[in-house]
Amino acid sequence: MRTSITAFGESKTVLDWTHDARCVVSLMTLLKRIREGWNAEEAITTPSRAAADRYRAPIEAFGEKKPPEEWLKDPRTRCSLDALFARMRSGWDAERALTTPVEERTRKRHPKSKLYAGKTVSEWLRDPRCTVSRFTLERNLRANMPIEEALGFRKRRRAPSEDPTIDSVEDALEKLEEGGELWHYKSDGHSRTSILSKDTRYALEYAMFEELLKSGRLHAIYSGLGMTQYRLAKRSR
């Protein structure tokens, strides 16, 4: 392949011709045409519909015809190259596309942080009176707590059960055999197990509950909202 091309009485490399204002195609298109034996001047000046050549095809406006990059240097042009081609693809005439200013986009403003008693959550977290985590503080503030209380309030764990405690698995089985119901509650990472028998609620240690489950003696009859109800399973004969 020739390293230089002679056209319009000038001899330049293929790359140099692509920088010439008269060249309306990309380097790849020009190389392809030269390989295919095109006349040099026609290869340089014949527009192409290839996507790679879109930005080099000449645009005619105000009685002049020149490549898009040359129009960008024209003081009458009020838009970017991308905007120019988007407009022309949408059917704008060249003069209107070149001279219509691009509307300045309003920058998206970040929403202002909500204030609580004049400060943001981050500012309150730096207050020496704050003794809770961000999660806890945000929860307290969403609950509309007074700021003094919100800075130190933590959700307290449920007080230990005051129900009578079942002493053994055998005792639990006896109450279940008498028609008792076993209820297991689980919420916020905490669990509690009780047996209701003859209008009395008995607290059952989790270890005993696990042992009953493993024994296969429990049958779940209801589950939902963090609680499961069990009865004693009937033994197969």
Side-chain angles (χ1 to χ4, degrees):
M1 190 192 74
R2 289 174 286 170
T3 57
S4 62
I5 301 173
T6 301
F8 311 108
E10 302 175 50
S11 184
K12 300 182 185 180
T13 65
V14 176
L15 181 61
D16 286 338
W17 274 114
T18 61
H19 297 302
D20 190 291
R22 290 165 290 187
C23 183
V24 298
V25 292
S26 65
L27 175 62
M28 296 302 296
T29 299
L30 183 56
L31 283 170
K32 181 174 180 291
R33 288 176 173 180
I34 296 301
R35 289 195 195 100
E36 293 173 352
W38 281 48
N39 170 274
E41 293 184 5
E42 290 181 354
I44 291 167
T45 59
T46 303
S48 163
R49 293 185 178 181
D53 304 320
R54 182 183 303 155
Y55 289 90
R56 302 189 64 93
I59 296 174
E60 187 171 357
F62 309 108
E64 303 175 54
K65 192 173 184 179
K66 51 189 179 183
E69 290 184 357
E70 291 298 312
W71 278 115
L72 287 182
K73 303 172 186 176
D74 193 295
R76 291 167 291 188
T77 301
R78 306 290 300 280
C79 65
S80 66
L81 200 60
D82 288 337
L84 174 61
F85 282 104
R87 289 170 173 181
M88 296 190 71
R89 284 197 300 271
S90 298
W92 290 36
D93 64 77
E95 292 183 8
R96 179 180 170 223
L98 288 164
T99 58
T100 302
V102 176
E103 292 183 9
E104 187 176 351
R105 293 182 179 180
T106 305
R107 290 183 179 179
K108 188 179 285 187
R109 296 180 179 178
H110 294 288
K112 291 183 178 179
S113 298
K114 189 173 181 179
L115 299 180
Y116 300 91
K119 291 184 181 181
T120 64
V121 171
S122 295
E123 289 170 333
W124 279 119
L125 284 169
R126 293 192 292 270
D127 190 294
R129 293 171 292 174
C130 183
T131 60
V132 297
S133 66
R134 174 182 285 273
F135 174 82
T136 300
L137 180 58
E138 288 178 338
R139 184 193 63 197
N140 293 345
L141 293 171
R142 285 197 300 270
N144 298 317
M145 281 187 189
I147 191 66
E148 294 81 4
E149 184 180 353
L151 292 173
F153 178 82
R154 291 183 178 84
K155 189 175 181 181
R156 288 158 179 79
R157 292 186 178 182
R158 186 189 303 271
S161 173
E162 296 180 358
D163 297 332
T165 303
I166 291 179
D167 298 322
S168 64
V169 172
E170 290 73 18
D171 187 16
L173 286 171
E174 183 180 337
K175 287 179 169 47
L176 292 171
E177 286 171 352
E178 293 172 350
E181 301 172 356
L182 187 149
W183 288 82
H184 181 67
Y185 306 87
K186 190 172 183 180
S187 176
D188 297 329
H190 303 289
S191 64
R192 178 169 57 91
T193 309
S194 302
I195 290 181
L196 299 179
S197 176
K198 297 181 179 179
D199 300 325
T200 303
R201 181 187 298 273
Y202 298 88
L204 182 69
E205 290 184 4
Y206 186 74
M208 294 185 189
F209 169 62
E210 279 195 316
E211 190 173 341
L212 285 168
L213 278 179
K214 290 176 182 177
S215 72
R217 299 296 307 279
L218 296 180
H219 171 62
I221 61 173
Y222 169 80
S223 182
L225 300 175
M227 64 180 74
T228 306
Q229 179 186 2
Y230 297 87
R231 282 190 181 275
L232 197 63
K234 292 181 180 179
R235 290 186 176 182
S236 58
R237 295 181 180 179

